[in-house]
Amino acid sequence: MTSESSGSADPAKTIALLWGTRRLPRRGPRHALSAGQVIATAIGLADEDKDLAQLSMRRVAETLGVGTMSLYTYVVSRAELVEAMLDSVYGAAVARLRELRPGDWRDGLRQVAAVNWAMYLDHPWMLQVFTGRPPLGPNAIAKYDLELRVVDGVGLTDVEMDAVVTLVHTHVEGVARRKVEAEQAERRTGITDAQWWEAAGPALAEVLDPGRFPVADRVGRAAGEAHQSAFDIEHEYAFGLDRMIEGVEALIRRSGA
């Protein structure tokens, strides 16, 4: 699903945009827009499409009722625009994180996961962007700082704190991507997962010898009966998060904290 990458625009220019230090040219026509308006409009279009493929500088300009070239006064490229969109969405997550009042770090991690889960489901286009080179904006850094505070002082080293937050991010992003892709498949094919299994199940039963794959047959049947489907996204989310928290507990106990 990942089709784009942050960090592909000029780093210095992007950081200037994200931190609001870029100066608009004084000469030329009067500036009728702001970078914030351009970014908000682009986010609205991507949210509506649930996809980045159709997003272009021209489409953003048309939505704003201005010429395409005028946008480059505020955002110098589409790649830079995508990074600014990410940091802007992170701002909403920061607001939610600042409202959290976790009872302990376990509850805190669950709430961090919930904020990220909601972020991806509200803005599924974010899952199309690889953020190995993250947008270095104020919201991205504030989000990271607030998430780290949840596990600060619980007995982890700084490197372990970073790894725990990254682990939560990776889990939530992966399950969210699975959920979004399942919804896209349903829209694309016009049939639900249940309808697909109703058609595929009898055909598979005709060729499958359970004795050849006894463990797969036993476990597959048990999971299917439990979830009434091949998989349950909510179960995957909760199960994985629970196991991660148990693992962090074991790491803290091992450190003697």
Side-chain angles (χ1 to χ4, degrees):
M1 187 175 181
T2 303
S3 59
E4 306 201 25
S5 175
S6 63
S8 57
D10 182 293
K13 291 181 178 179
T14 302
I15 288 174
L17 170 66
L18 298 182
W19 289 85
T21 60
R22 179 182 297 170
R23 295 183 179 180
L24 298 178
R26 295 183 178 180
R27 297 181 179 180
R30 178 177 173 272
H31 304 304
L33 299 173
S34 68
Q37 287 176 287
V38 175
I39 296 163
T41 299
I43 291 173
L45 291 171
D47 286 348
E48 182 180 347
D49 295 340
K50 301 183 183 299
D51 185 47
L52 278 178
Q54 303 302 316
L55 184 69
S56 67
M57 297 292 276
R58 174 179 293 181
R59 188 172 173 214
V60 174
E62 290 174 349
T63 303
L64 287 167
V66 299
T68 303
M69 294 307 297
S70 66
L71 289 193
Y72 293 98
T73 302
Y74 310 96
V75 182
V76 300
S77 68
R78 183 182 180 283
E80 185 181 271
L81 176 60
V82 170
E83 294 205 42
M85 291 165 64
L86 290 171
D87 195 67
S88 179
V89 171
Y90 291 153
V94 166
R96 293 177 182 176
L97 289 167
R98 284 179 174 153
E99 295 174 353
L100 300 187
R101 296 293 182 270
D104 65 3
W105 65 265
R106 301 165 190 81
D107 183 42
L109 284 182
R110 294 184 190 283
Q111 294 184 53
V112 165
V115 168
N116 282 274
W117 178 254
M119 179 183 72
Y120 286 126
L121 298 190
D122 289 343
H123 309 282
W125 54 267
M126 296 180 72
L127 296 168
Q128 294 175 264
V129 187
F130 171 68
T131 54
R133 297 177 180 177
L136 301 176
N139 293 321
I141 295 175
K143 179 174 178 290
Y144 178 57
D145 182 79
L146 289 166
E147 291 169 338
L148 287 171
R149 292 185 191 190
V150 169
V151 288
D152 191 22
V154 302
L156 300 172
T157 67
D158 287 350
V159 174
E160 289 169 344
M161 287 168 56
D162 173 78
V164 167
V165 169
T166 299
L167 188 62
V168 172
H169 286 172
T170 302
H171 171 64
V172 173
E173 181 179 339
V175 181
R177 177 175 287 108
R178 189 164 165 84
K179 177 178 176 64
V180 169
E181 289 179 343
E183 293 171 350
Q184 290 175 340
E186 184 172 325
R187 288 195 299 271
R188 186 171 58 250
T189 62
I191 62 173
T192 66
D193 281 347
Q195 291 170 329
W196 184 85
W197 277 107
E198 285 177 4
L204 179 62
E206 291 182 5
V207 297
L208 179 64
D209 176 8
R212 185 179 177 187
F213 309 104
V215 179
D217 180 68
R218 186 188 78 235
V219 174
R221 288 179 182 276
E225 290 173 3
H227 305 316
Q228 293 299 300
S229 179
F231 62 90
D232 182 329
I233 289 293
E234 302 299 331
H235 177 266
E236 288 185 22
Y237 172 87
F239 182 85
L241 187 58
D242 287 345
R243 301 296 78 74
M244 282 190 291
I245 290 174
E246 289 174 359
V248 175
E249 285 180 320
L251 179 62
I252 293 172
R253 285 198 301 270
R254 190 173 66 190
S255 70

